[in-house]
Short mmCIF file of all heavy atoms in Angstrom, two decimals:
data_model
loop_
_atom_site.label_atom_id
_atom_site.label_comp_id
_atom_site.label_asym_id
_atom_site.label_seq_id
_atom_site.Cartn_x
_atom_site.Cartn_y
_atom_site.Cartn_z
N LYS T 1144 -79.63 -183.18 53.34
CA LYS T 1144 -80.74 -182.26 53.12
C LYS T 1144 -80.60 -181.05 54.04
O LYS T 1144 -80.06 -181.15 55.13
CB LYS T 1144 -82.08 -182.95 53.36
CG LYS T 1144 -82.38 -183.99 52.31
CD LYS T 1144 -83.73 -184.61 52.52
CE LYS T 1144 -83.94 -185.65 51.42
NZ LYS T 1144 -85.21 -186.33 51.54
N GLU T 1145 -81.10 -179.93 53.56
CA GLU T 1145 -81.03 -178.69 54.33
C GLU T 1145 -82.21 -177.81 53.97
O GLU T 1145 -82.85 -178.00 52.95
CB GLU T 1145 -79.72 -177.95 54.04
CG GLU T 1145 -79.53 -177.62 52.57
CD GLU T 1145 -79.15 -176.19 52.30
OE1 GLU T 1145 -78.66 -175.51 53.20
OE2 GLU T 1145 -79.35 -175.75 51.17
N PHE T 1146 -82.49 -176.83 54.81
CA PHE T 1146 -83.52 -175.83 54.51
C PHE T 1146 -82.87 -174.68 53.76
O PHE T 1146 -81.77 -174.25 54.11
CB PHE T 1146 -84.15 -175.31 55.81
CG PHE T 1146 -85.04 -174.13 55.57
CD1 PHE T 1146 -86.30 -174.29 55.04
CD2 PHE T 1146 -84.59 -172.84 55.85
CE1 PHE T 1146 -87.13 -173.20 54.81
CE2 PHE T 1146 -85.41 -171.74 55.61
CZ PHE T 1146 -86.68 -171.92 55.10
N ASN T 1147 -83.53 -174.21 52.73
CA ASN T 1147 -83.00 -173.08 51.98
C ASN T 1147 -84.14 -172.16 51.61
O ASN T 1147 -85.08 -172.56 50.92
CB ASN T 1147 -82.27 -173.56 50.72
CG ASN T 1147 -81.45 -172.49 50.09
OD1 ASN T 1147 -81.95 -171.43 49.74
ND2 ASN T 1147 -80.16 -172.75 49.94
N VAL T 1148 -84.07 -170.92 52.04
CA VAL T 1148 -85.15 -169.95 51.85
C VAL T 1148 -85.33 -169.56 50.38
O VAL T 1148 -86.42 -169.18 49.98
CB VAL T 1148 -84.92 -168.72 52.75
CG1 VAL T 1148 -83.75 -167.90 52.28
CG2 VAL T 1148 -86.17 -167.87 52.85
N PHE T 1149 -84.29 -169.65 49.57
CA PHE T 1149 -84.37 -169.18 48.18
C PHE T 1149 -84.96 -170.20 47.22
O PHE T 1149 -85.37 -169.86 46.12
CB PHE T 1149 -82.99 -168.77 47.66
CG PHE T 1149 -82.50 -167.49 48.27
CD1 PHE T 1149 -81.47 -167.50 49.19
CD2 PHE T 1149 -83.08 -166.28 47.93
CE1 PHE T 1149 -81.01 -166.32 49.75
CE2 PHE T 1149 -82.63 -165.09 48.49
CZ PHE T 1149 -81.60 -165.11 49.41
N TYR T 1150 -84.97 -171.48 47.59
CA TYR T 1150 -85.39 -172.52 46.66
C TYR T 1150 -86.63 -173.23 47.14
O TYR T 1150 -86.66 -173.76 48.25
CB TYR T 1150 -84.29 -173.57 46.50
CG TYR T 1150 -83.00 -173.05 45.95
CD1 TYR T 1150 -81.91 -172.83 46.77
CD2 TYR T 1150 -82.87 -172.77 44.59
CE1 TYR T 1150 -80.71 -172.35 46.26
CE2 TYR T 1150 -81.68 -172.29 44.08
CZ TYR T 1150 -80.61 -172.09 44.92
OH TYR T 1150 -79.44 -171.61 44.41
N PRO T 1151 -87.65 -173.30 46.29
CA PRO T 1151 -88.77 -174.18 46.61
C PRO T 1151 -88.30 -175.61 46.35
O PRO T 1151 -87.46 -175.86 45.50
CB PRO T 1151 -89.85 -173.75 45.62
CG PRO T 1151 -89.12 -173.12 44.49
CD PRO T 1151 -87.85 -172.55 45.06
N GLY T 1152 -88.80 -176.55 47.08
CA GLY T 1152 -88.38 -177.94 46.90
C GLY T 1152 -87.30 -178.33 47.89
O GLY T 1152 -86.84 -177.52 48.70
N THR T 1153 -86.88 -179.57 47.82
CA THR T 1153 -85.86 -180.09 48.72
C THR T 1153 -84.48 -179.61 48.29
O THR T 1153 -84.10 -179.74 47.13
CB THR T 1153 -85.89 -181.63 48.73
OG1 THR T 1153 -87.19 -182.05 49.13
CG2 THR T 1153 -84.86 -182.20 49.68
N SER T 1154 -83.74 -179.06 49.21
CA SER T 1154 -82.39 -178.55 48.95
C SER T 1154 -81.38 -179.48 49.62
O SER T 1154 -81.57 -179.87 50.78
CB SER T 1154 -82.27 -177.13 49.50
OG SER T 1154 -80.98 -176.62 49.27
N MET T 1155 -80.32 -179.84 48.90
CA MET T 1155 -79.30 -180.76 49.41
C MET T 1155 -77.92 -180.24 49.04
O MET T 1155 -77.74 -179.64 47.99
CB MET T 1155 -79.49 -182.15 48.80
CG MET T 1155 -80.83 -182.78 49.10
SD MET T 1155 -81.23 -184.12 47.97
CE MET T 1155 -81.99 -183.21 46.63
N ARG T 1156 -76.96 -180.52 49.90
CA ARG T 1156 -75.57 -180.13 49.64
C ARG T 1156 -74.67 -181.35 49.79
O ARG T 1156 -74.89 -182.17 50.68
CB ARG T 1156 -75.13 -179.03 50.59
CG ARG T 1156 -75.89 -177.73 50.36
CD ARG T 1156 -75.40 -176.62 51.27
NE ARG T 1156 -76.27 -175.46 51.16
CZ ARG T 1156 -76.09 -174.45 50.30
NH1 ARG T 1156 -75.06 -174.47 49.48
NH2 ARG T 1156 -76.92 -173.43 50.26
N SER T 1157 -73.67 -181.44 48.90
CA SER T 1157 -72.70 -182.54 49.01
C SER T 1157 -71.83 -182.30 50.23
O SER T 1157 -71.97 -181.31 50.94
CB SER T 1157 -71.87 -182.66 47.73
OG SER T 1157 -71.06 -181.52 47.55
N MET T 1158 -70.88 -183.17 50.47
CA MET T 1158 -70.14 -183.16 51.72
C MET T 1158 -68.91 -182.25 51.74
O MET T 1158 -68.27 -182.11 52.78
CB MET T 1158 -69.73 -184.58 52.10
CG MET T 1158 -70.95 -185.49 52.32
SD MET T 1158 -72.19 -184.80 53.45
CE MET T 1158 -71.29 -184.82 54.97
N GLY T 1159 -68.56 -181.62 50.64
CA GLY T 1159 -67.41 -180.73 50.63
C GLY T 1159 -67.61 -179.58 51.61
O GLY T 1159 -68.67 -178.96 51.63
N LEU T 1160 -66.60 -179.29 52.40
CA LEU T 1160 -66.73 -178.23 53.39
C LEU T 1160 -66.73 -176.85 52.75
O LEU T 1160 -67.55 -176.00 53.08
CB LEU T 1160 -65.60 -178.32 54.42
CG LEU T 1160 -65.68 -177.35 55.60
CD1 LEU T 1160 -66.94 -177.59 56.40
CD2 LEU T 1160 -64.45 -177.49 56.48
N TRP T 1161 -65.85 -176.61 51.79
CA TRP T 1161 -65.80 -175.32 51.12
C TRP T 1161 -66.50 -175.39 49.77
O TRP T 1161 -67.62 -174.96 49.60
CB TRP T 1161 -64.35 -174.82 50.99
CG TRP T 1161 -64.29 -173.49 50.31
CD1 TRP T 1161 -63.76 -173.24 49.07
CD2 TRP T 1161 -64.80 -172.24 50.78
NE1 TRP T 1161 -63.91 -171.91 48.76
CE2 TRP T 1161 -64.54 -171.28 49.80
CE3 TRP T 1161 -65.45 -171.85 51.95
CZ2 TRP T 1161 -64.91 -169.94 49.93
CZ3 TRP T 1161 -65.81 -170.52 52.08
CH2 TRP T 1161 -65.55 -169.59 51.09
N ARG T 1162 -65.85 -175.98 48.78
CA ARG T 1162 -66.46 -176.13 47.45
C ARG T 1162 -67.31 -177.39 47.47
O ARG T 1162 -66.85 -178.45 47.86
CB ARG T 1162 -65.36 -176.24 46.40
CG ARG T 1162 -65.87 -176.29 44.98
CD ARG T 1162 -64.69 -176.30 44.00
NE ARG T 1162 -65.13 -176.36 42.63
CZ ARG T 1162 -65.40 -177.49 41.99
NH1 ARG T 1162 -65.25 -178.65 42.59
NH2 ARG T 1162 -65.81 -177.46 40.73
N HIS T 1163 -68.56 -177.26 47.05
CA HIS T 1163 -69.48 -178.39 47.09
C HIS T 1163 -70.55 -178.24 46.02
O HIS T 1163 -70.68 -177.18 45.40
CB HIS T 1163 -70.12 -178.49 48.49
CG HIS T 1163 -70.94 -177.29 48.84
ND1 HIS T 1163 -70.38 -176.11 49.27
CD2 HIS T 1163 -72.27 -177.09 48.80
CE1 HIS T 1163 -71.34 -175.23 49.49
NE2 HIS T 1163 -72.50 -175.80 49.22
N VAL T 1164 -71.30 -179.31 45.81
CA VAL T 1164 -72.41 -179.29 44.85
C VAL T 1164 -73.70 -179.06 45.62
O VAL T 1164 -73.96 -179.70 46.64
CB VAL T 1164 -72.49 -180.62 44.07
CG1 VAL T 1164 -73.64 -180.59 43.08
CG2 VAL T 1164 -71.17 -180.91 43.35
N HIS T 1165 -74.48 -178.12 45.13
CA HIS T 1165 -75.79 -177.81 45.72
C HIS T 1165 -76.84 -178.34 44.75
O HIS T 1165 -76.81 -178.03 43.56
CB HIS T 1165 -75.93 -176.30 45.90
CG HIS T 1165 -77.17 -175.90 46.61
ND1 HIS T 1165 -77.57 -174.59 46.68
CD2 HIS T 1165 -78.12 -176.60 47.29
CE1 HIS T 1165 -78.69 -174.50 47.36
NE2 HIS T 1165 -79.04 -175.72 47.74
N ALA T 1166 -77.75 -179.16 45.25
CA ALA T 1166 -78.80 -179.77 44.43
C ALA T 1166 -80.16 -179.39 45.00
O ALA T 1166 -80.36 -179.41 46.22
CB ALA T 1166 -78.64 -181.29 44.42
N VAL T 1167 -81.08 -179.05 44.11
CA VAL T 1167 -82.43 -178.65 44.52
C VAL T 1167 -83.42 -179.46 43.70
O VAL T 1167 -83.38 -179.45 42.46
CB VAL T 1167 -82.67 -177.14 44.30
CG1 VAL T 1167 -84.08 -176.77 44.72
CG2 VAL T 1167 -81.64 -176.32 45.05
N GLU T 1168 -84.32 -180.13 44.41
CA GLU T 1168 -85.35 -180.92 43.73
C GLU T 1168 -86.41 -179.98 43.17
O GLU T 1168 -86.92 -179.10 43.87
CB GLU T 1168 -85.98 -181.90 44.71
CG GLU T 1168 -86.98 -182.82 44.08
CD GLU T 1168 -87.50 -183.85 45.07
OE1 GLU T 1168 -87.08 -183.83 46.23
OE2 GLU T 1168 -88.35 -184.64 44.65
N GLN T 1169 -86.70 -180.16 41.89
CA GLN T 1169 -87.78 -179.41 41.25
C GLN T 1169 -88.84 -180.41 40.81
O GLN T 1169 -88.76 -181.59 41.15
CB GLN T 1169 -87.22 -178.57 40.10
CG GLN T 1169 -86.27 -177.50 40.61
CD GLN T 1169 -85.73 -176.60 39.51
OE1 GLN T 1169 -85.72 -176.94 38.34
NE2 GLN T 1169 -85.27 -175.43 39.91
N GLU T 1170 -89.82 -179.97 40.05
CA GLU T 1170 -90.95 -180.84 39.71
C GLU T 1170 -90.52 -182.16 39.08
O GLU T 1170 -90.85 -183.22 39.56
CB GLU T 1170 -91.91 -180.10 38.78
CG GLU T 1170 -92.64 -178.98 39.47
CD GLU T 1170 -93.52 -178.20 38.52
OE1 GLU T 1170 -93.70 -178.64 37.37
OE2 GLU T 1170 -94.04 -177.16 38.94
N ASP T 1171 -89.80 -182.08 37.98
CA ASP T 1171 -89.46 -183.29 37.23
C ASP T 1171 -87.96 -183.49 37.06
O ASP T 1171 -87.53 -184.32 36.27
CB ASP T 1171 -90.14 -183.26 35.86
CG ASP T 1171 -89.71 -182.05 35.03
OD1 ASP T 1171 -89.13 -181.11 35.60
OD2 ASP T 1171 -89.95 -182.07 33.81
N CYS T 1172 -87.17 -182.71 37.78
CA CYS T 1172 -85.72 -182.79 37.61
C CYS T 1172 -85.03 -182.27 38.86
O CYS T 1172 -85.66 -181.85 39.81
CB CYS T 1172 -85.29 -181.99 36.38
SG CYS T 1172 -85.75 -180.25 36.44
N ILE T 1173 -83.70 -182.32 38.82
CA ILE T 1173 -82.87 -181.79 39.90
C ILE T 1173 -81.99 -180.69 39.32
O ILE T 1173 -81.36 -180.87 38.28
CB ILE T 1173 -81.97 -182.89 40.51
CG1 ILE T 1173 -82.80 -184.09 41.00
CG2 ILE T 1173 -81.10 -182.33 41.62
CD1 ILE T 1173 -83.63 -183.82 42.22
N PHE T 1174 -81.97 -179.55 39.98
CA PHE T 1174 -81.16 -178.40 39.59
C PHE T 1174 -79.88 -178.44 40.42
O PHE T 1174 -79.95 -178.53 41.65
CB PHE T 1174 -81.97 -177.13 39.85
CG PHE T 1174 -81.19 -175.86 39.90
CD1 PHE T 1174 -80.50 -175.40 38.80
CD2 PHE T 1174 -81.13 -175.11 41.07
CE1 PHE T 1174 -79.79 -174.22 38.84
CE2 PHE T 1174 -80.42 -173.93 41.14
CZ PHE T 1174 -79.75 -173.48 40.01
N VAL T 1175 -78.70 -178.43 39.77
CA VAL T 1175 -77.43 -178.50 40.50
C VAL T 1175 -76.49 -177.39 40.06
O VAL T 1175 -76.54 -176.92 38.92
CB VAL T 1175 -76.73 -179.87 40.33
CG1 VAL T 1175 -77.54 -180.99 40.94
CG2 VAL T 1175 -76.43 -180.17 38.88
N HIS T 1176 -75.65 -176.96 40.99
CA HIS T 1176 -74.61 -175.99 40.70
C HIS T 1176 -73.54 -176.08 41.79
O HIS T 1176 -73.76 -176.70 42.83
CB HIS T 1176 -75.19 -174.56 40.61
CG HIS T 1176 -75.85 -174.10 41.86
ND1 HIS T 1176 -77.16 -174.42 42.17
CD2 HIS T 1176 -75.40 -173.35 42.89
CE1 HIS T 1176 -77.48 -173.88 43.34
NE2 HIS T 1176 -76.42 -173.23 43.80
N ILE T 1177 -72.40 -175.48 41.54
CA ILE T 1177 -71.30 -175.47 42.49
C ILE T 1177 -71.45 -174.25 43.41
O ILE T 1177 -71.76 -173.16 42.95
CB ILE T 1177 -69.94 -175.38 41.76
CG1 ILE T 1177 -69.72 -176.60 40.87
CG2 ILE T 1177 -68.79 -175.21 42.75
CD1 ILE T 1177 -69.49 -177.89 41.60
N CYS T 1178 -71.26 -174.48 44.71
CA CYS T 1178 -71.31 -173.40 45.70
C CYS T 1178 -70.03 -173.40 46.52
O CYS T 1178 -69.26 -174.36 46.48
CB CYS T 1178 -72.48 -173.60 46.66
SG CYS T 1178 -74.04 -172.94 46.08
N HIS T 1179 -69.86 -172.36 47.30
CA HIS T 1179 -68.71 -172.23 48.19
C HIS T 1179 -69.20 -171.91 49.60
O HIS T 1179 -70.09 -171.08 49.77
CB HIS T 1179 -67.78 -171.13 47.70
CG HIS T 1179 -67.27 -171.41 46.33
ND1 HIS T 1179 -67.97 -171.05 45.20
CD2 HIS T 1179 -66.16 -172.05 45.91
CE1 HIS T 1179 -67.30 -171.44 44.14
NE2 HIS T 1179 -66.20 -172.05 44.54
N GLY T 1180 -68.63 -172.58 50.58
CA GLY T 1180 -69.05 -172.39 51.97
C GLY T 1180 -70.26 -173.24 52.29
O GLY T 1180 -71.39 -172.78 52.14
N ASN T 1181 -70.06 -174.47 52.70
CA ASN T 1181 -71.15 -175.41 52.94
C ASN T 1181 -71.81 -175.16 54.29
O ASN T 1181 -71.36 -175.63 55.32
CB ASN T 1181 -70.63 -176.85 52.85
CG ASN T 1181 -71.75 -177.84 52.73
OD1 ASN T 1181 -72.89 -177.56 53.10
ND2 ASN T 1181 -71.44 -179.02 52.21
N ILE T 1182 -72.91 -174.43 54.26
CA ILE T 1182 -73.63 -174.09 55.48
C ILE T 1182 -74.31 -175.29 56.12
O ILE T 1182 -74.61 -175.27 57.31
CB ILE T 1182 -74.65 -172.95 55.24
CG1 ILE T 1182 -75.65 -173.33 54.15
CG2 ILE T 1182 -73.93 -171.68 54.88
CD1 ILE T 1182 -76.70 -172.30 53.86
N ALA T 1183 -74.52 -176.35 55.36
CA ALA T 1183 -75.11 -177.57 55.93
C ALA T 1183 -74.11 -178.31 56.81
O ALA T 1183 -74.50 -179.06 57.70
CB ALA T 1183 -75.60 -178.49 54.81
N ARG T 1184 -72.83 -178.09 56.60
CA ARG T 1184 -71.80 -178.75 57.40
C ARG T 1184 -71.26 -177.88 58.52
O ARG T 1184 -70.87 -178.38 59.57
CB ARG T 1184 -70.64 -179.19 56.51
CG ARG T 1184 -71.06 -180.29 55.57
CD ARG T 1184 -70.00 -181.25 55.16
NE ARG T 1184 -69.06 -181.64 56.19
CZ ARG T 1184 -67.78 -181.83 55.96
NH1 ARG T 1184 -67.29 -181.65 54.76
NH2 ARG T 1184 -66.98 -182.19 56.93
N PHE T 1185 -71.22 -176.56 58.30
CA PHE T 1185 -70.66 -175.64 59.30
C PHE T 1185 -71.31 -174.28 59.07
O PHE T 1185 -70.92 -173.55 58.16
CB PHE T 1185 -69.14 -175.59 59.14
CG PHE T 1185 -68.42 -174.81 60.20
CD1 PHE T 1185 -68.53 -175.14 61.54
CD2 PHE T 1185 -67.61 -173.75 59.84
CE1 PHE T 1185 -67.85 -174.42 62.51
CE2 PHE T 1185 -66.91 -173.02 60.80
CZ PHE T 1185 -67.04 -173.35 62.14
#
């Protein structure tokens, strides 16, 4: 889990250091997409 200013809800990032999956909890579902540069790890 991480704090993210752009997303309401819980924001989470997978463990990949560079390319990783970003997941954001919404009301009734989870929004996911691929990101680069995992700020939750480094």
Side-chain angles (χ1 to χ4, degrees):
K1144 292 183 180 179
E1145 58 131 20
F1146 170 76
N1147 193 303
V1148 70
F1149 288 108
Y1150 298 104
T1153 302
S1154 180
M1155 300 161 274
R1156 294 183 188 269
S1157 66
M1158 298 310 293
L1160 185 62
W1161 180 248
R1162 185 176 179 273
H1163 62 281
V1164 180
H1165 186 190
V1167 179
E1168 185 176 359
Q1169 295 182 339
E1170 291 176 9
D1171 60 345
C1172 58
I1173 304 289
F1174 162 63
V1175 295
H1176 60 277
I1177 298 290
C1178 275
H1179 300 86
N1181 194 338
I1182 57 179
R1184 292 210 39 218
F1185 186 58

